[in-house]
Amino acid sequence: MTENAAPDELCFLPYPELLDTYRALRAALLSHWPDTELRPRRTQTGFAEKYLYAVASPGTRRLPGAPRRYVLLSLVLPAPDRRMRVAMAVEAAPGRWTHHLAVAGAQDIDDELLALTALSHAFALSRAGGGF
């Protein structure tokens, strides 16, 4: 299976049950922002257009209300967003709130998730220091 995995999928190989969800998320983000550059790392994959606007990683830690296994989508916004989809929001720096969302399956990649991602995308591009 490793030989068929794209570099951005390698962090999901220990969790094969998450690969389809990650691939659906990647497809959705790339269809909305086709200039996105994938930035794979050992434990996560970043999505960037000059600056990071989203990070996907295997959800291995328990988040409030999250299923046992999920793709963790992390987005940065200028203020906390209290939507029910946001499992956790933490002020990483003044005016920079990291929001964590659990994506359990392709059905979770909906208009609300894409709207939050669009806000993070716009915020990353508007920041002088950029992204994460």
Side-chain angles (χ1 to χ4, degrees):
M1 183 166 173
T2 303
E3 58 276 351
N4 295 331
D8 63 294
E9 297 175 345
L10 294 178
C11 65
F12 291 95
L13 290 183
Y15 311 96
E17 69 276 18
L18 298 178
L19 266 173
D20 287 341
T21 301
Y22 169 72
R23 289 173 176 156
L25 177 64
R26 177 184 62 198
L29 297 185
L30 293 177
S31 73
H32 280 78
W33 299 283
D35 294 330
T36 293
E37 171 192 350
L38 298 176
R39 296 185 183 172
R41 299 291 184 260
R42 187 176 63 81
T43 60
Q44 63 189 24
T45 293
F47 294 81
E49 275 190 41
K50 189 172 182 182
Y51 303 115
L52 285 173
Y53 65 88
V55 173
S57 59
T60 57
R61 296 189 179 177
R62 294 295 296 154
L63 280 178
R68 186 169 178 272
R69 289 279 187 249
Y70 54 92
V71 173
L72 179 67
L73 179 63
S74 300
L75 308 169
V76 174
L77 300 174
D81 192 298
R82 303 287 183 216
R83 296 176 210 220
M84 294 300 292
R85 295 287 296 278
V86 176
M88 184 181 297
V90 179
E91 190 171 22
R96 183 174 153 173
W97 289 78
T98 302
H99 294 68
H100 301 292
L101 295 91
V103 182
Q107 73 280 358
D108 290 339
I109 305 165
D110 58 12
D111 290 342
E112 183 180 27
L113 182 132
L114 293 172
L116 282 167
T117 306
L119 292 173
S120 182
H121 180 267
F123 182 57
L125 292 181
S126 73
R127 296 183 44 219
F132 282 66

